Amino acid sequence: MQKMNKQDKIKAIKHIIQRDGLDTNSRYQVLIMRRRYLMAELRVLRMPFKAIGEMFNRDHATAMHNIKQHHWAIESGDTYYMTVIQDDIEELQGNAHVKNMRFLREDILKCKSYNQLKSIKRRVLRGEYEELLSVE
């Protein structure tokens, strides 16, 4: 699998922001965490704080704060945070083909938290499952 270049990664992040409404004023915790991760990814690409903030309809200080919070969550081993951002990590690593191999029943049986269930719901809405559960 070929790694994304800088411009492709920025384009993919813009797509995720627009598709999932990450540029809105929502303070829903999952969206905040996903914004943090994507802002940190943009900073790794050497994008200025002001430009990062503008992509999310926020200012540079918010971008700086969110990136700092991202690093704190990673360094502290926050498993909830990692679960929330996992789909975005896979998408930006170019592992979209892996998502097509998911099985809904298997993911539901492995689900151990409300947040994991929300991730399954997002995948269902995106049509990322090969199978559908049959009603018996």
Coordinates of all heavy atoms in Angstrom, one line a residue, residues 11-80:
K11 N -6.1 16.8 1.5 CA -7.4 16.7 0.8 C -8.3 15.7 1.6 O -9.5 15.9 1.7 CB -7.2 16.2 -0.6 CG -8.4 16.2 -1.5 CD -8.1 15.5 -2.8 CE -7.8 16.5 -3.8 NZ -7.7 16.0 -5.2
A12 N -7.7 14.6 2.0 CA -8.5 13.6 2.8 C -9.1 14.1 4.1 O -10.2 13.9 4.4 CB -7.6 12.3 3.1
I13 N -8.2 14.9 4.8 CA -8.7 15.6 6.0 C -9.8 16.5 5.7 O -10.8 16.6 6.5 CB -7.5 16.2 6.8 CG1 -6.6 15.1 7.3 CG2 -8.0 17.1 7.9 CD1 -5.3 15.7 7.9
K14 N -9.7 17.3 4.7 CA -10.8 18.3 4.3 C -12.1 17.5 4.1 O -13.2 17.9 4.4 CB -10.4 19.1 3.1 CG -9.4 20.2 3.4 CD -9.1 21.0 2.1 CE -8.1 22.1 2.4 NZ -7.7 22.8 1.1
H15 N -12.0 16.4 3.4 CA -13.1 15.6 3.1 C -13.8 15.1 4.4 O -15.0 15.1 4.5 CB -12.7 14.4 2.2 CG -13.8 13.4 2.0 ND1 -14.9 13.7 1.2 CD2 -14.0 12.2 2.5 CE1 -15.7 12.6 1.2 NE2 -15.2 11.7 2.0
I16 N -13.0 14.6 5.3 CA -13.5 14.1 6.6 C -14.2 15.2 7.3 O -15.3 15.0 7.9 CB -12.4 13.5 7.4 CG1 -11.9 12.2 6.8 CG2 -12.9 13.2 8.9 CD1 -10.6 11.7 7.4
I17 N -13.6 16.4 7.4 CA -14.2 17.5 8.1 C -15.5 17.9 7.5 O -16.5 18.0 8.2 CB -13.2 18.8 8.0 CG1 -11.9 18.5 8.7 CG2 -13.9 20.0 8.5 CD1 -10.8 19.5 8.4
Q18 N -15.6 17.9 6.2 CA -16.9 18.3 5.5 C -17.9 17.2 5.7 O -19.1 17.4 6.0 CB -16.7 18.6 4.0 CG -15.9 19.8 3.8 CD -16.6 21.1 4.3 OE1 -17.8 21.3 4.1 NE2 -15.8 21.9 5.0
R19 N -17.5 15.9 5.4 CA -18.4 14.8 5.5 C -19.0 14.6 6.9 O -20.2 14.3 7.0 CB -17.7 13.5 5.1 CG -18.5 12.3 5.1 CD -17.6 11.0 5.0 NE -16.8 10.9 6.2 CZ -15.7 10.1 6.2 NH1 -15.2 9.6 5.1 NH2 -15.0 10.0 7.4
D20 N -18.2 14.8 7.9 CA -18.7 14.5 9.3 C -19.0 15.7 10.1 O -19.3 15.7 11.3 CB -17.6 13.7 10.0 CG -17.4 12.3 9.3 OD1 -18.2 11.9 8.5 OD2 -16.4 11.7 9.6
G21 N -19.1 16.9 9.4 CA -19.5 18.1 10.1 C -18.6 18.5 11.2 O -19.0 19.1 12.3
L22 N -17.3 18.3 11.1 CA -16.3 18.7 12.1 C -16.0 20.2 12.1 O -15.3 20.6 13.0 CB -15.0 17.9 12.0 CG -15.2 16.4 12.1 CD1 -13.9 15.6 11.8 CD2 -15.8 16.0 13.4
D23 N -16.5 20.9 11.2 CA -16.3 22.4 11.2 C -17.5 23.1 11.8 O -17.6 24.3 11.7 CB -16.0 22.9 9.7 CG -17.1 22.5 8.8 OD1 -18.0 21.7 9.1 OD2 -17.1 22.9 7.6
T24 N -18.4 22.4 12.4 CA -19.6 23.1 13.0 C -19.2 23.5 14.5 O -18.2 23.2 15.0 CB -20.8 22.1 13.1 OG1 -20.5 21.0 13.9 CG2 -21.1 21.6 11.7
N25 N -20.2 24.1 15.1 CA -20.0 24.5 16.5 C -20.3 23.5 17.5 O -20.3 23.7 18.7 CB -20.8 25.8 16.8 CG -20.3 27.0 16.1 OD1 -19.1 27.1 15.8 ND2 -21.1 27.9 15.7
S26 N -20.6 22.2 17.1 CA -20.9 21.2 18.0 C -19.9 20.9 19.1 O -18.7 20.9 18.8 CB -21.2 19.9 17.2 OG -21.4 18.8 18.1
R27 N -20.3 20.7 20.3 CA -19.4 20.4 21.4 C -19.5 19.0 21.9 O -19.1 18.6 23.0 CB -19.6 21.4 22.6 CG -19.2 22.8 22.2 CD -19.2 23.8 23.3 NE -18.6 23.4 24.5 CZ -17.3 23.4 24.8 NH1 -16.5 23.8 24.0 NH2 -16.9 23.0 26.0
Y28 N -20.1 18.1 21.0 CA -20.2 16.7 21.2 C -18.8 16.1 21.4 O -17.9 16.4 20.6 CB -21.0 16.1 20.1 CG -21.1 14.6 20.1 CD1 -21.7 14.0 21.3 CD2 -20.8 13.8 19.1 CE1 -21.9 12.6 21.3 CE2 -20.9 12.4 19.1 CZ -21.5 11.8 20.3 OH -21.7 10.5 20.3
Q29 N -18.6 15.5 22.5 CA -17.2 15.0 22.9 C -16.5 14.2 21.8 O -15.3 14.4 21.5 CB -17.3 14.2 24.2 CG -15.9 13.8 24.7 CD -16.0 13.1 26.0 OE1 -17.0 12.5 26.3 NE2 -14.9 13.1 26.7
V30 N -17.2 13.3 21.1 CA -16.6 12.5 20.1 C -16.1 13.4 18.9 O -15.0 13.2 18.4 CB -17.6 11.4 19.6 CG1 -17.0 10.8 18.3 CG2 -17.8 10.4 20.6
L31 N -16.9 14.4 18.6 CA -16.5 15.3 17.5 C -15.3 16.2 17.9 O -14.3 16.4 17.1 CB -17.6 16.3 17.1 CG -18.8 15.6 16.4 CD1 -19.8 16.6 16.0 CD2 -18.4 14.7 15.3
I32 N -15.2 16.6 19.2 CA -14.1 17.4 19.7 C -12.8 16.5 19.6 O -11.8 17.0 19.2 CB -14.4 17.8 21.2 CG1 -15.5 18.9 21.2 CG2 -13.1 18.3 21.8 CD1 -16.0 19.2 22.6
M33 N -12.9 15.3 20.0 CA -11.7 14.4 20.0 C -11.2 14.1 18.5 O -10.0 14.1 18.3 CB -12.0 13.1 20.7 CG -12.2 13.2 22.1 SD -12.6 11.6 22.8 CE -12.6 11.9 24.6
R34 N -12.2 14.0 17.7 CA -11.8 13.8 16.3 C -11.2 15.0 15.7 O -10.2 14.9 14.9 CB -13.0 13.3 15.4 CG -13.5 11.9 15.9 CD -14.7 11.5 15.1 NE -14.3 11.3 13.7 CZ -15.1 11.5 12.7 NH1 -16.4 11.9 12.8 NH2 -14.7 11.4 11.4
R35 N -11.7 16.2 16.0 CA -11.1 17.4 15.6 C -9.6 17.5 16.1 O -8.7 17.9 15.4 CB -11.8 18.6 16.2 CG -13.1 19.0 15.4 CD -13.7 20.3 16.0 NE -15.1 20.3 15.7 CZ -16.0 20.4 16.7 NH1 -15.7 20.5 17.9 NH2 -17.3 20.4 16.3
R36 N -9.4 17.2 17.4 CA -8.1 17.2 18.0 C -7.1 16.4 17.2 O -6.0 16.8 16.8 CB -8.1 16.7 19.4 CG -8.7 17.7 20.3 CD -8.7 17.1 21.7 NE -9.4 18.1 22.6 CZ -9.8 17.9 23.8 NH1 -9.8 16.7 24.3 NH2 -10.4 18.9 24.5
Y37 N -7.5 15.2 16.9 CA -6.6 14.3 16.1 C -6.3 14.9 14.7 O -5.1 14.9 14.3 CB -7.2 12.9 16.0 CG -6.5 12.1 14.9 CD1 -5.2 11.6 15.2 CD2 -7.1 11.8 13.7 CE1 -4.5 10.8 14.3 CE2 -6.4 11.0 12.8 CZ -5.1 10.6 13.0 OH -4.4 9.9 12.1
L38 N -7.3 15.3 14.0 CA -7.1 15.8 12.7 C -6.3 17.1 12.7 O -5.4 17.3 11.8 CB -8.5 16.1 12.0 CG -9.2 14.8 11.7 CD1 -10.6 15.1 11.1 CD2 -8.5 13.8 10.8
M39 N -6.5 18.0 13.7 CA -5.7 19.2 13.8 C -4.2 18.8 14.0 O -3.3 19.4 13.4 CB -6.2 20.1 15.0 CG -7.4 20.8 14.6 SD -7.9 21.8 16.1 CE -9.4 22.6 15.4
A40 N -4.0 17.8 14.9 CA -2.6 17.3 15.1 C -2.0 16.8 13.8 O -0.8 17.0 13.6 CB -2.6 16.3 16.2
E41 N -2.7 16.1 13.1 CA -2.2 15.5 11.8 C -1.9 16.6 10.8 O -0.8 16.5 10.1 CB -3.3 14.6 11.1 CG -3.4 13.2 11.8 CD -2.1 12.4 11.7 OE1 -1.6 12.2 10.6 OE2 -1.6 12.0 12.7
L42 N -2.7 17.7 10.8 CA -2.3 18.8 9.9 C -1.1 19.5 10.4 O -0.3 20.0 9.6 CB -3.5 19.8 9.9 CG -4.8 19.3 9.1 CD1 -6.0 20.2 9.4 CD2 -4.5 19.2 7.6
R43 N -0.9 19.6 11.7 CA 0.3 20.2 12.2 C 1.6 19.4 11.9 O 2.6 20.0 11.6 CB 0.2 20.4 13.7 CG 1.3 21.3 14.3 CD 1.3 22.7 13.8 NE 2.5 23.4 14.3 CZ 2.9 24.5 13.8 NH1 2.4 25.1 12.8 NH2 4.0 25.1 14.4
V44 N 1.4 18.1 11.9 CA 2.6 17.2 11.5 C 3.0 17.5 10.1 O 4.2 17.5 9.7 CB 2.2 15.7 11.7 CG1 3.2 14.8 11.0 CG2 2.1 15.4 13.1
L45 N 2.0 18.0 9.3 CA 2.3 18.3 7.9 C 2.8 19.8 7.7 O 2.9 20.3 6.6 CB 1.0 18.2 7.0 CG 0.4 16.7 7.0 CD1 -0.9 16.7 6.3 CD2 1.4 15.8 6.3
R46 N 3.1 20.4 8.9 CA 3.7 21.7 9.0 C 2.7 22.8 8.5 O 3.1 23.9 8.1 CB 5.0 21.8 8.2 CG 6.0 20.9 8.7 CD 7.4 21.5 8.5 NE 8.5 20.6 9.0 CZ 8.9 20.6 10.3 NH1 8.3 21.4 11.1 NH2 9.9 19.9 10.7
M47 N 1.4 22.6 8.7 CA 0.4 23.6 8.4 C 0.4 24.6 9.5 O 0.5 24.2 10.7 CB -0.9 23.0 8.2 CG -2.0 24.0 7.8 SD -3.6 23.2 7.4 CE -3.3 22.6 5.7
P48 N 0.3 25.9 9.3 CA 0.3 26.9 10.3 C -1.0 26.8 11.2 O -2.0 26.4 10.7 CB 0.3 28.3 9.6 CG 0.7 27.9 8.2 CD 0.4 26.5 7.9
F49 N -0.9 27.2 12.4 CA -2.0 27.1 13.3 C -3.2 27.9 12.8 O -4.3 27.4 12.9 CB -1.6 27.6 14.7 CG -0.7 26.7 15.5 CD1 0.6 27.2 15.8 CD2 -1.1 25.5 15.9 CE1 1.5 26.4 16.5 CE2 -0.2 24.6 16.6 CZ 1.1 25.1 16.9
K50 N -3.0 29.0 12.2 CA -4.1 29.8 11.7 C -4.8 29.1 10.6 O -6.1 29.1 10.6 CB -3.5 31.2 11.2 CG -4.6 32.1 10.7 CD -4.1 33.4 10.2 CE -5.3 34.2 9.8 NZ -5.0 35.4 9.1
A51 N -4.1 28.5 9.7 CA -4.7 27.7 8.6 C -5.5 26.5 9.1 O -6.6 26.2 8.6 CB -3.7 27.3 7.6
I52 N -4.9 25.8 10.1 CA -5.6 24.7 10.7 C -6.9 25.1 11.3 O -8.0 24.5 11.1 CB -4.7 24.0 11.8 CG1 -3.5 23.4 11.1 CG2 -5.5 23.0 12.6 CD1 -2.4 22.9 12.1
G53 N -6.9 26.2 12.1 CA -8.1 26.7 12.7 C -9.1 27.1 11.7 O -10.3 26.8 11.9
E54 N -8.7 27.7 10.6 CA -9.7 28.1 9.6 C -10.4 26.9 9.0 O -11.6 27.0 8.6 CB -9.0 29.0 8.5 CG -8.6 30.3 9.0 CD -7.7 31.1 8.0 OE1 -7.3 30.6 7.0 OE2 -7.4 32.3 8.3
M55 N -9.7 25.8 8.8 CA -10.3 24.6 8.2 C -11.5 24.1 9.1 O -12.4 23.5 8.6 CB -9.3 23.5 8.1 CG -8.3 23.7 6.9 SD -7.1 22.4 6.7 CE -8.2 21.1 6.1
F56 N -11.4 24.4 10.4 CA -12.4 23.9 11.3 C -13.3 25.1 11.8 O -14.1 24.9 12.8 CB -11.8 23.3 12.5 CG -11.1 22.0 12.2 CD1 -9.7 22.0 11.8 CD2 -11.7 20.8 12.4 CE1 -9.1 20.8 11.5 CE2 -11.1 19.6 12.1 CZ -9.7 19.6 11.6
N57 N -13.2 26.2 11.2 CA -14.0 27.4 11.6 C -13.6 27.8 13.0 O -14.5 28.2 13.8 CB -15.5 27.3 11.4 CG -15.9 27.2 9.9 OD1 -15.3 27.9 9.1 ND2 -16.8 26.3 9.6
R58 N -12.4 27.8 13.4 CA -11.9 28.2 14.7 C -10.7 29.0 14.6 O -10.1 29.2 13.5 CB -11.6 26.9 15.5 CG -12.9 26.3 16.0 CD -12.8 24.8 16.4 NE -14.0 24.4 16.9 CZ -15.2 24.1 16.2 NH1 -15.2 24.4 14.9 NH2 -16.2 23.6 16.8
D59 N -10.2 29.6 15.7 CA -9.0 30.4 15.6 C -7.7 29.6 15.9 O -7.8 28.4 16.2 CB -9.1 31.6 16.5 CG -9.3 31.3 18.0 OD1 -8.9 30.2 18.4 OD2 -9.7 32.1 18.8
H60 N -6.6 30.3 15.8 CA -5.3 29.6 15.9 C -5.1 29.1 17.4 O -4.5 28.1 17.6 CB -4.2 30.5 15.5 CG -3.9 31.6 16.5 ND1 -4.7 32.7 16.6 CD2 -2.9 31.7 17.5 CE1 -4.2 33.5 17.6 NE2 -3.2 32.9 18.1
A61 N -5.6 29.8 18.3 CA -5.5 29.4 19.7 C -6.2 28.1 20.0 O -5.7 27.3 20.8 CB -5.9 30.5 20.7
T62 N -7.4 28.0 19.4 CA -8.1 26.7 19.6 C -7.4 25.6 19.0 O -7.3 24.5 19.5 CB -9.5 26.9 19.0 OG1 -10.2 28.0 19.6 CG2 -10.3 25.6 19.2
A63 N -6.8 25.8 17.8 CA -6.0 24.8 17.2 C -4.8 24.4 18.0 O -4.5 23.2 18.3 CB -5.5 25.2 15.8
M64 N -4.1 25.4 18.6 CA -3.0 25.1 19.5 C -3.4 24.3 20.7 O -2.7 23.3 21.1 CB -2.3 26.4 19.9 CG -1.6 27.1 18.8 SD -1.1 28.8 19.3 CE 0.2 28.4 20.4
H65 N -4.5 24.7 21.3 CA -5.0 24.0 22.5 C -5.4 22.5 22.2 O -5.0 21.6 22.9 CB -6.2 24.7 23.1 CG -6.9 24.0 24.2 ND1 -6.3 23.9 25.5 CD2 -8.0 23.3 24.2 CE1 -7.1 23.2 26.2 NE2 -8.2 22.8 25.5
N66 N -6.1 22.3 21.1 CA -6.5 21.0 20.7 C -5.3 20.1 20.4 O -5.4 18.9 20.7 CB -7.5 21.0 19.5 CG -8.9 21.3 19.9 OD1 -9.4 20.9 20.9 ND2 -9.6 22.2 19.1
I67 N -4.3 20.6 19.7 CA -3.1 19.8 19.4 C -2.4 19.4 20.7 O -2.0 18.3 20.9 CB -2.2 20.6 18.5 CG1 -2.9 20.7 17.1 CG2 -0.8 19.9 18.3 CD1 -2.3 21.7 16.1
K68 N -2.3 20.3 21.7 CA -1.7 20.0 23.0 C -2.6 18.9 23.7 O -2.0 18.0 24.2 CB -1.7 21.3 23.8 CG -1.0 21.2 25.1 CD -1.0 22.5 25.9 CE -0.3 22.4 27.2 NZ -0.2 23.7 27.9
Q69 N -3.9 19.0 23.6 CA -4.7 18.0 24.2 C -4.6 16.7 23.6 O -4.6 15.6 24.2 CB -6.2 18.5 24.2 CG -6.5 19.7 25.1 CD -6.3 19.3 26.6 OE1 -6.8 18.3 27.1 NE2 -5.5 20.2 27.2
H70 N -4.4 16.7 22.3 CA -4.2 15.4 21.5 C -2.9 14.7 22.0 O -2.9 13.6 22.3 CB -4.0 15.7 20.0 CG -3.4 14.6 19.2 ND1 -4.1 13.4 18.9 CD2 -2.1 14.4 18.8 CE1 -3.3 12.6 18.3 NE2 -2.1 13.2 18.2
H71 N -1.8 15.5 22.1 CA -0.5 14.9 22.6 C -0.7 14.4 24.0 O -0.1 13.4 24.4 CB 0.6 15.9 22.5 CG 1.0 16.2 21.0 ND1 1.4 15.2 20.2 CD2 0.9 17.3 20.3 CE1 1.6 15.8 19.0 NE2 1.3 17.0 19.0
W72 N -1.4 15.2 24.9 CA -1.6 14.7 26.2 C -2.4 13.4 26.3 O -2.0 12.5 27.0 CB -2.4 15.8 27.1 CG -2.6 15.3 28.4 CD1 -1.8 15.4 29.5 CD2 -3.8 14.6 28.9 NE1 -2.4 14.8 30.6 CE2 -3.6 14.3 30.3 CE3 -5.0 14.2 28.3 CZ2 -4.6 13.7 31.0 CZ3 -5.9 13.5 29.1 CH2 -5.7 13.3 30.4
A73 N -3.4 13.3 25.5 CA -4.2 12.0 25.4 C -3.4 10.8 25.0 O -3.5 9.7 25.5 CB -5.4 12.2 24.5
I74 N -2.5 11.1 24.0 CA -1.7 10.0 23.5 C -0.6 9.6 24.5 O -0.5 8.4 24.8 CB -1.0 10.4 22.2 CG1 -2.0 10.7 21.1 CG2 0.1 9.4 21.7 CD1 -2.8 9.5 20.6
E75 N 0.0 10.6 25.1 CA 1.1 10.3 26.1 C 0.5 9.6 27.4 O 1.2 8.8 28.0 CB 1.8 11.6 26.5 CG 2.7 12.1 25.4 CD 3.2 13.6 25.6 OE1 3.0 14.1 26.7 OE2 3.7 14.1 24.7
S76 N -0.7 10.0 27.7 CA -1.3 9.4 28.9 C -1.9 8.0 28.7 O -2.4 7.4 29.6 CB -2.3 10.3 29.6 OG -3.5 10.5 28.7
G77 N -2.0 7.6 27.4 CA -2.5 6.3 27.0 C -4.0 6.3 27.2 O -4.6 5.2 27.5
D78 N -4.7 7.3 26.8 CA -6.2 7.4 26.9 C -6.8 6.5 25.9 O -6.9 6.8 24.7 CB -6.6 8.9 26.7 CG -8.1 9.1 26.9 OD1 -8.9 8.2 26.8 OD2 -8.5 10.3 27.1
T79 N -7.3 5.3 26.4 CA -7.9 4.3 25.5 C -9.2 4.8 24.9 O -9.5 4.4 23.7 CB -8.1 3.0 26.2 OG1 -8.9 3.2 27.4 CG2 -6.7 2.4 26.6
Y80 N -10.0 5.6 25.6 CA -11.2 6.1 25.1 C -10.9 7.0 23.9 O -11.5 6.9 22.8 CB -12.0 6.9 26.1 CG -13.3 7.5 25.7 CD1 -14.3 6.7 25.2 CD2 -13.4 8.9 25.6 CE1 -15.5 7.3 24.8 CE2 -14.6 9.5 25.2 CZ -15.6 8.6 24.8 OH -16.8 9.2 24.4

